[in-house]
């Protein structure tokens, strides 16, 4: 199993990283960043306050504004989402195949 899924501590939400590593050092408010990326203040607030996810279009917008890679933002979101999904108890009831499926 991947090391990410074995982690005991939840990966940071990308909105928290956005807020702490980008917005706060630059003195950007939610409204200012929303205007820079071309979304509503409500949309940006949900992400910055860790209640919303970063989707591909947002990743592209943030990458453009902060001169980063869209993959950075998508990877942060994927790592967070996968870790949370792994915490669901249903995961324990799903078993891997013991034999290779036949190729058709």
């Amino acid at each position: 199993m991947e090391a990410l899924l074995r982690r005991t501590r939840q990966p940071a939400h990308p909105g928290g990283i956005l807020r702490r590593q980008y917005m706060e050092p630059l003195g950007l408010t939610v409204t200012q960043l929303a205007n820079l990326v071309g979304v509503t203040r409500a949309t940006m607030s949900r992400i910055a306050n860790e209640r919303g996810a970063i989707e591909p279009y947002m990743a592209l917008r943030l990458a453009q504004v902060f001169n980063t890679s869209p993959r950075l933002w998508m990877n942060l979101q994927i790592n967070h989402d996968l870790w949370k999904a792994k915490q669901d108890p249903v995961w324990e009831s799903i078993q891997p195949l013991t034999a290779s499926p036949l190729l058709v």
Side-chain angles (χ1 to χ4, degrees):
M1 174 132 336
E2 292 183 41
L4 168 70
L5 298 179
R6 289 191 306 261
R7 289 178 63 165
T8 56
R9 200 174 114 234
Q10 180 175 353
H13 187 283
I17 292 172
L18 173 65
R19 191 179 64 252
R20 290 185 300 276
Q21 302 294 320
Y22 292 87
M23 294 173 67
E24 289 173 1
L26 295 171
L28 287 173
T29 66
V30 169
T31 302
Q32 289 169 326
L33 183 54
N35 289 335
L36 286 170
V37 299
V39 298
T40 66
R41 183 194 181 291
T43 296
M44 188 53 61
S45 178
R46 279 192 300 277
I47 292 169
N49 290 302
E50 303 181 23
R51 291 189 306 268
I54 292 178
E55 299 191 5
Y57 280 104
M58 182 60 72
L60 288 166
R61 291 166 186 252
L62 292 172
Q64 184 72 21
V65 168
F66 293 118
N67 195 29
T68 62
S69 162
R71 286 194 186 275
L72 165 74
W73 301 105
M74 292 307 304
N75 286 338
L76 290 169
Q77 187 67 56
I78 288 167
N79 289 342
H80 182 264
D81 291 349
L82 281 174
W83 188 90
K84 281 184 70 173
K86 179 66 170 88
Q87 305 317 299
D88 188 328
V90 74
W91 178 254
E92 302 301 323
S93 68
I94 300 171
Q95 300 299 315
L97 290 174
T98 56
S100 298
L102 297 175
L103 297 176
V104 179

